Amino acid sequence: MALYNTNTLLPTKSFISQSPPHKSFPCTTLRPISAVHAPDPSSQKPPSSTTPSATISTTTPLTTPSGTKWTVDSWRTKKALQLPEYPDQNELDSVLETLEAFPPIVFAGEARNLEERLGEAALGNAFLLQGGDCAESFKEFNANYIRDTFRVILQMGVVLMFGGQMPVIKVGRMAGQFAKPRSDNFEEKDGVKLPSYRGDNVNGDAFDLKSRIPDPQRLIRAYSQSAATLNLLRAFATGGYAAMQRVNQWNLDFTENSEQGDRYRELASQVDEALGFMAAAGLTIDHPIMTTTDFWTSHECLHLPYEQSLTRLDSTSGLYYDCSAHFLWAGERTRQLDGAHVEFLRGIANPLGIKVSDKMDPNELVKLIDILNPENKPGRITIITRMGAENMRVKLPHLIRAVRRAGQIVTWVTDPMHGNTIKAPSGLKTRPFDAIRVTNLSPSSIKSTSLLFYIIFIVNCVNYWYNQSTHYEKDSGMNINRKMWLVIFMCFTRALDVRRLSTRLVHRLALILCY
């Protein structure tokens, strides 16, 4: 029988959804990568004489811990949902071959470091903060937008770290979050029926036939924008912009003339005082931990041909990594146990997420985790619940109990956007401010742990705010949303402070932001 620590949730021990497999693009080798740009921790063993050769066929099988064979294109033998149907297969193959020859966007060592950090979160020793757009777009690609998104995540991270007194793992839904799953392959307006918009890396959002036809060249543009975005994020994270000494300089206009702004400035002043004390005591504030920050990228693993084209064999570990992002997740519509997306994800070594709604059967979740993480490695799996405020109390405890009974180690987070969606009078989707809440799953709800598990619901996934004139305003929406975030984070950190004074229990936050 498994034993449990009462302070943790952990045991101690396409258009055409049923189309035949797509033809493999004409690529005969998989380009290995070196980890020289992102060295592993010292605990990593150096490559041995059995390290795979520099060139390896895409059909060379990899034996997974479950004993089954896996190759980078074995997903093509499975049923693949949510994949676009391109009119010119030869053009798609040519684009994929080009992408296969491009450099990786991220490095394997970085993904391994993230997995280690997520393992700490799974053990209750860190917070996870994930933020970004529901879907990136080509039209909004500019340096200021990237900077402001990064700055907000930094700001929320400081509030969370200061209030929670724990490390914060900062992950952006950026540099690759383009593809959008759809509940219907077609969209109809005024009697006109066209293919659904599936994200800027597939087709355009304008409601005309030319825009809605999937275009393989968009994958090249998505790669270029992702690489440029991550390049700028790296510069911000390591070039001094993220230094703790700049915490007051991260203030944006939404912190001015408001109670939340006053509270943030008070917190920032306290951070400054702490840094001043460190300097006076002779403790250097020029250490990299004070002047830089770790920042990782993530997106939904949806467009499998694109993901395969950016999968590389790591020369250090001998494992395959999808180098389009550090962290990838299987969506609610593509997490079938025998589906193509699960088949692809089980063979890559990136840390993985699983989106889970109130429709998820607890036994199925246990089976899915076992497929993706047969070695039960902490940090490998993050469960992202997306079931809305009404279903959270009823459904989530059953999933938690099933996973705990199976002895599986996962990181629990919540997606407060999907599941809390309503339609404004204009017909556009939004999330009401009333859905912002901190939900406390009490010990009586879980019945097997004394841990208080906090869940935060945040609104407005697409950066728009519905106003009295019945239209959406992009710029004002960003500012309103940031005020909302400050309200929630300040309330949460105040609650953490009260709990820290009244109990010695370990409190964990599993948090995911979409804005």
Side-chain angles (χ1 to χ4, degrees), residues 52 62 84 145 148 197 203 343 374 400 472 477 489:
L62 172 71
Y145 191 86
D148 290 347
Y197 169 62
N203 55 4
E343 170 63 19
I400 293 175
Y472 284 72
F489 271 76

Side-chain angles (χ1 to χ4, degrees), residues 82 130 173 177 181 298-304 307 322 327-337 339-346 348 350-357 360 365 368-369 371-372 380-386 415 512:
Q82 297 290 332
Q130 185 177 7
R173 287 175 56 115
Q177 177 56 19
S298 64
H299 65 250
E300 180 175 356
C301 179
L302 195 61
H303 197 296
L304 290 178
E307 303 298 342
D322 184 344
F327 178 93
L328 299 105
W329 68 84
E332 170 73 9
R333 298 179 177 93
T334 56
R335 54 171 173 75
Q336 297 78 15
L337 297 179
H341 291 79
V342 171
E343 170 63 19
F344 175 78
L345 288 170
R346 77 180 180 92
I348 61 174
N350 304 62
L352 304 175
I354 304 173
K355 280 289 187 78
V356 171
S357 75
M360 170 61 85
L365 177 59
L368 182 55
I369 295 171
I371 291 173
L372 296 177
R380 164 71 170 173
I381 298 296
T382 298
I383 305 298
I384 307 169
T385 60
R386 45 151 293 170
D415 175 354
I512 182 170

